[in-house]
Amino acid sequence: MKTIQTDVLICGGGCAGIAAALSSARHGTKTLLIERAGFSGGIITTVGLPYFDGLIDKPSGRFVVKGIALELLQKLGIAKEGAKHIDDLPPAVVTKYWGSMWITNVEQFKILTDELILKHGDNLSVLYHSMACDVEVKEGRVAAVIIANKDGLTRVEAKQVVDCTGDGDIAYWAGCPTISSKPLMPLTLHFRIGNVVPVRETKDAAKKALIEAHQAGRLPNFYGPGLMFAFAKDECYVHATRVPADATNAADFTRAEIQGRKDAWTIFNEWRAKVPGFENSYYIMSGPYIGVRDTRRIVGLNVLTLEDLQKTTRHDDAIATGCWFLDIHPPEVSVDKPFTGSGFQPKPYDISYRTLVPQKISNLLVAGRCHSASSEASASSRVTATAIALGEAAGTAAALAMETKTEVGTFDGVKVREALTQQNGGPFTDL
Ligand SMILES: Cc1cc2nc3c(=O)[nH]c(=O)nc-3n(C[C@H](O)[C@H](O)[C@H](O)COP(=O)(O)OP(=O)(O)OC[C@H]3O[C@@H](n4cnc5c(N)ncnc54)[C@H](O)[C@@H]3O)c2cc1C
């Protein structure tokens, strides 16, 4: 099998992975990013989700994430330099009720991440259409990650590895302890409908149509009405499908993708037939992949818990700040409110470097939604802006470990925090 070598390997080019790759390369470290899709951006581009949740502390409106997340928003022309509050953003891209904001074009996000990767080409390479599919472990280290692409199988030998696959694939295959929620949150295929002329009754009628379709057996599951006009006034962006499945099981993942596609088409047809405003609508497209909220998470050197969120536990080695509410999607029908439980809204809270550090393997970090957190805490820390912040921290730590000839597993998180602060990232738990 062919072997290639790098200093830092980032597996998965999603929210966490793109930030990890950029931050590692910006430290002058030879970095390779591999991504199973033909583009980076993860949930934003593989599913078509435009939200940057976790950026804004809802009660105060202030940003708790800066660094690469904010840089991306600035480069997209959404946040001006110096923006630090929800009021600094264009009103058209925010919902104060949720403390949420979104980007206006997910295709532009693909172009932006390509440009940033190419700009750092001296240190950063990318292989798209490349899937990490196995690891070699020797003496408590990941000795190589096996990737599969059109070249066949290749061994990638890296001194430090960052797992940003969302599913903790590398950590799991390397034998690191992992957990998953019971039940898992459902998968959702996002899709878009064009030429919609929304009227006052549209949302209520859309909800009624979903309930009727479900009761008649045409739609097994949904969250509803689950529609937004985020991209254009006449374009309906729909996140109403809901498919319970385990996306780490290939057969179940395949079944979910097929079911999600069928359900999306059913929803479109129901709305076109019954909902005022949809009479002349057409189905534009669904996201390239069904979206996966919830699979494995590592059990790391520190586990972020609900109690940490409730008590806002402080950590000297905090490398990011979380702030999103407990956003737990149930695997069954829910009408109006997408989440179950209290929807507890924490105050901005610290996330420790050690939630990125798995047990047993010394040269591996895990960033993004599969970092070490309990089911409840992860329902908050899984959102996009928080994942970007975790990725930035992991990439910075991998580069620092290379500079100091140490390993990420034993690296001092306080030093990662200091480096992040110097690059305008890191935790913003306090003003
Ligand atoms: C349907 C849905 C709706 C959501 N709604 C919101 C919302 O409204 N607001 C919000 O902020 N968050 C939302 N989230 C949550 C949030 O988007 C994710 O938790 C976040 O993207 C996590 O970032 P990540 O980098 O861990 O994963 P991702 O962004 O998913 O990135 C993982 C990347 O790894 C790649 N990959 C996976 N396995 C491999 C492999 N073995 N080899 C190579 N590449 C691999 C994937 O292709 C992907 O690009 C939603 C999630 C879903 C699924």
Side-chain angles (χ1 to χ4, degrees):
M1 199 187 305
K2 186 174 81 170
T3 296
I4 54 177
Q5 289 172 330
T6 186
D7 287 340
V8 171
L9 171 66
I10 314 289
C11 297
C15 296
I18 190 71
L22 290 173
S23 59
S24 171
R26 283 173 178 174
H27 279 260
T29 310
K30 187 178 172 195
T31 305
L32 172 63
L33 171 67
I34 60 149
E35 165 56 47
R36 82 176 155 157
F39 41 81
S40 47
I43 184 96
I44 296 167
T45 51
T46 58
V47 176
L49 174 107
Y51 300 105
F52 263 58
D53 293 337
L55 178 78
I56 299 159
D57 168 46
K58 178 181 153 180
S60 67
R62 80 171 176 91
F63 294 179
V64 300
V65 175
K66 294 190 200 169
I68 288 176
L70 193 54
E71 176 191 338
L72 293 170
L73 292 175
Q74 284 168 354
K75 291 203 155 77
L76 290 168
I78 290 176
K80 292 208 175 72
E81 213 174 320
K84 51 188 176 205
H85 193 273
I86 194 166
D87 291 339
D88 298 332
L89 294 166
V93 301
V94 300
T95 305
K96 287 197 173 177
Y97 178 77
W98 293 107
S100 182
M101 63 131 333
W102 56 90
I103 63 172
T104 48
N105 195 315
V106 295
E107 290 298 315
Q108 188 190 2
F109 198 74
K110 287 183 190 167
I111 303 282
L112 173 62
T113 52
D114 280 347
E115 282 172 0
L116 287 170
I117 289 167
L118 295 177
K119 187 175 161 196
H120 293 84
D122 286 350
N123 304 316
L124 178 57
S125 323
V126 63
L127 286 174
Y128 288 146
H129 300 297
S130 298
M131 178 107 179
C133 53
D134 201 1
V135 297
E136 289 172 16
V137 174
K138 280 192 192 126
E139 294 165 1
R141 302 181 81 254
V142 174
V145 173
I146 315 299
I147 65 168
N149 57 24
K150 285 303 227 179
D151 293 341
L153 295 180
T154 302
R155 293 176 72 252
V156 183
E157 290 180 353
K159 298 195 176 79
Q160 310 299 323
V161 178
V162 184
D163 180 345
C164 296
T165 60
D167 302 318
D169 284 349
I170 308 300
Y172 179 73
W173 294 329
C176 305
T178 59
I179 50 162
S180 40
S181 310
K182 289 187 182 51
L184 290 167
M185 288 193 247
L187 285 63
T188 295
L189 184 81
H190 288 201
F191 64 104
R192 292 153 72 165
I193 304 174
N195 202 26
V196 183
V197 188
V199 291
R200 203 159 45 88
E201 306 82 46
T202 298
K203 278 201 175 173
D204 282 345
K207 181 167 75 179
K208 187 162 169 276
L210 295 183
I211 294 168
E212 282 171 9
H214 174 65
Q215 286 172 345
R218 295 191 292 277
L219 185 63
N221 211 337
F222 72 95
Y223 146 65
L227 57 84
M228 282 277 295
F229 290 84
F231 301 114
K233 285 196 174 84
D234 64 347
E235 187 186 302
C236 182
Y237 161 58
V238 191
H239 35 96
T241 65
R242 189 165 262 187
V243 188
D246 177 0
T248 60
N249 174 308
D252 211 26
F253 196 14
T254 302
R255 177 191 62 77
E257 191 81 57
I258 292 170
Q259 185 68 49
R261 196 153 41 234
K262 183 175 179 214
D263 292 352
W265 191 248
T266 300
I267 290 170
F268 164 66
N269 281 314
E270 296 285 333
W271 285 354
R272 197 173 197 278
K274 295 181 184 162
V275 176
F278 280 84
E279 295 84 352
N280 298 310
S281 64
Y282 63 97
Y283 192 111
I284 301 175
M285 66 183 298
S286 60
Y289 297 81
I290 193 166
V292 180
R293 288 189 177 81
D294 194 14
T295 48
R296 305 180 194 107
R297 293 181 303 280
I298 56 159
V299 182
L301 299 192
N302 176 266
V303 182
L304 181 72
T305 63
L306 177 58
E307 199 182 359
D308 291 327
L309 271 59
Q310 288 165 336
K311 294 186 175 166
T312 55
T313 311
R314 307 311 301 264
H315 293 284
D316 291 342
D317 68 346
I319 42 74
T321 298
C323 68
W324 194 243
F325 72 95
L326 294 199
D327 194 355
I328 304 173
H329 288 236
E332 61 266 338
V333 169
S334 65
V335 178
D336 290 326
K337 208 172 67 162
F339 60 93
T340 45
S342 64
F344 169 68
Q345 171 66 61
K347 294 200 178 89
Y349 59 89
D350 280 354
I351 304 180
S352 157
Y353 175 66
R354 286 159 295 139
T355 71
L356 310 180
V357 185
Q359 297 177 47
K360 292 192 174 176
I361 300 290
S362 61
N363 66 336
L364 178 65
L365 291 178
V366 179
R369 69 175 167 84
C370 45
H371 84 124
S372 176
S374 69
S375 301
E376 295 93 347
S378 149
S380 165
S381 67
R382 72 188 175 90
V383 291
T384 51
T386 314
I388 294 172
L390 296 180
E392 181 172 0
T396 300
L400 293 177
M402 289 305 303
E403 281 167 24
T404 52
K405 298 193 174 24
T406 49
E407 300 269 56
V408 284
T410 49
F411 200 80
D412 182 359
V414 176
K415 295 217 160 51
V416 182
R417 176 183 192 153
E418 287 165 7
L420 288 166
T421 305
Q422 281 177 15
Q423 59 203 48
N424 195 36
F428 291 92
T429 309
D430 297 319
L431 274 176

